[in-house]
Amino acid sequence: MTAMPSLHLSPRFAISLALCAVLSACGGGLTTAPSTPVVVVPTVQPKISKPVKIGLALGGGAARGFAHIGVIKALESQGIVPDIVVGTSAGSVVGALYAAGNNGFALQKIALQMDEAAISDWSVPFFAKVSGVLKGEAIQNYVNKTIHNVPIEKLKIPFGAVATDLNTGAPILFRRGNTGTAVRASSAVPGVFQSVVVGGRQYVDGGLVSPVPVRFAHEMGADFVIAVNISASPEAQAASSSVDVLLQTFAIMGQSINSYELKDADIVIRPELGAMKGNDFAARNTAILAGEQAAMAQMALIKKKLKEKRDE
């Protein structure tokens, strides 16, 4: 009988065979635990509201301009503070004082303490060659004194005053220089105030070209414009003096311009001033209250539109 050859296994090979045998013996007894599914939650980026520059366009209307103060008070009470202020005529007076850092309550105090004589300086038209019964220097000095002679470009809120070039009829937006002079030019109602010479050119009331300066608020960089229209309805005004006739003429002229320009405002506030005349300084408190009420009546709409603008 032939002897079987001996099988010599290396230690490494022997271990490998042993492992195979163990695994074969276990057969299907080994199970693999299922892996836990990974749930991927998409990252939701919070919507960031874009900054919106709010412009406040204050219209002309002489003493009816006290209503602007009420509007400002109402806006501030709801945390709405404009980034840009532009005014025409009476709107330039209130706008300049506001841009200088006086809040609504401070403006109201200034208004109630204002002496009409402090802004009235009568000329003598029968003895001098003048273009109006009021010089306008008094209102210029009053504004400069109240804001401590700060020039337009140094005011706390960017400000512009609209006037009309008497030679060309073109509008001019004063953005630099003497604040009182710019306000005086913007408020120089022809026939009532003398025209104002600035840089060799004559200027008169901005209401001739822009009674409520919405377009200039946009030009100054406003994304959202709140316009305040204080012009009087001609049918509500009884003209009993030459000054009344001039102011009513302005109101008639301003109607057609306003209908065009106010379309570009996001919000138009119209204080209910009834038959209040442009020279009725005694009704200043009533006008302030009317402005406040008119602004509060639209506050929900203002906030809604502001939110929509920020979410665009």
Side-chain angles (χ1 to χ4, degrees), residues 134-151:
L134 293 173
K135 299 176 187 176
E137 292 175 357
I139 194 167
Q140 173 180 321
N141 295 335
Y142 176 82
V143 169
N144 281 334
K145 180 180 178 181
T146 306
I147 66 170
H148 308 293
N149 294 304
V150 176

Side-chain angles (χ1 to χ4, degrees), residues 17-30:
L17 286 177
L19 286 173
C20 288
V22 170
L23 290 174
S24 297
C26 293
L30 289 178

Side-chain angles (χ1 to χ4, degrees), residues 206-241:
L208 289 168
V209 288
S210 186
V212 185
V214 175
R215 57 175 161 155
F216 290 104
H218 282 299
E219 283 186 15
M220 288 175 65
D223 306 304
F224 186 91
V225 177
I226 299 172
V228 187
N229 181 14
I230 57 167
S231 60
S233 299
E235 63 272 12
Q237 299 289 300
S240 58
S241 69

Side-chain angles (χ1 to χ4, degrees), residues 159-209:
F159 169 71
V162 180
T164 305
D165 187 315
L166 188 58
N167 298 315
T168 65
I172 176 73
L173 181 67
F174 287 102
R175 295 288 312 277
R176 299 182 63 81
N178 187 290
T179 305
T181 301
V183 168
R184 176 186 175 189
S186 180
S187 307
V189 180
V192 179
F193 286 95
Q194 295 175 13
S195 59
V196 181
V197 178
V198 180
R201 304 193 69 83
Q202 282 186 299
Y203 295 99
V204 292
D205 196 292
L208 289 168
V209 288

Side-chain angles (χ1 to χ4, degrees), residues 71-303:
V71 171
I72 290 169
K73 283 180 64 183
L75 293 174
E76 287 184 336
S77 73
Q78 301 299 307
I80 300 172
V81 180
D83 302 286
I84 293 165
V85 179
V86 58
T88 292
S89 198
S92 74
V93 178
V94 176
L97 300 181
Y98 184 43
N102 296 291
N103 64 20
F105 286 99
L107 289 175
Q108 181 169 332
K109 183 178 180 181
I110 290 170
L112 296 180
Q113 292 177 344
M114 178 187 290
D115 181 0
E116 187 180 348
I119 59 172
S120 302
D121 47 358
W122 296 93
S123 62
V124 191
F126 297 106
F127 298 96
K129 188 177 180 181
V130 295
S131 56
V133 297
L134 293 173
K135 299 176 187 176
E137 292 175 357
I139 194 167
Q140 173 180 321
N141 295 335
Y142 176 82
V143 169
N144 281 334
K145 180 180 178 181
T146 306
I147 66 170
H148 308 293
N149 294 304
V150 176
I152 296 175
E153 65 272 18
K154 295 287 182 66
L155 294 174
K156 294 182 179 180
I157 301 175
F159 169 71
V162 180
T164 305
D165 187 315
L166 188 58
N167 298 315
T168 65
I172 176 73
L173 181 67
F174 287 102
R175 295 288 312 277
R176 299 182 63 81
N178 187 290
T179 305
T181 301
V183 168
R184 176 186 175 189
S186 180
S187 307
V189 180
V192 179
F193 286 95
Q194 295 175 13
S195 59
V196 181
V197 178
V198 180
R201 304 193 69 83
Q202 282 186 299
Y203 295 99
V204 292
D205 196 292
L208 289 168
V209 288
S210 186
V212 185
V214 175
R215 57 175 161 155
F216 290 104
H218 282 299
E219 283 186 15
M220 288 175 65
D223 306 304
F224 186 91
V225 177
I226 299 172
V228 187
N229 181 14
I230 57 167
S231 60
S233 299
E235 63 272 12
Q237 299 289 300
S240 58
S241 69
S242 57
V243 172
D244 289 339
V245 171
L246 284 168
L247 294 176
Q248 186 161 340
T249 301
F250 254 58
I252 293 169
M253 292 172 55
Q255 279 188 319
S256 58
I257 302 174
N258 274 344
S259 64
Y260 171 76
E261 191 159 2
L262 290 175
K263 291 178 182 178
D264 292 329
D266 295 275
I267 295 288
V268 179
I269 298 173
R270 295 180 174 86
E272 293 292 334
L273 298 169
M276 178 182 175
K277 293 184 178 181
N279 59 356
D280 188 1
F281 280 79
R284 67 189 79 180
N285 212 14
T286 302
I288 292 171
L289 180 60
E292 200 166 350
Q293 291 173 335
M296 290 306 297
Q298 294 211 53
M299 197 58 67
L301 181 61
I302 294 172
K303 290 181 177 180

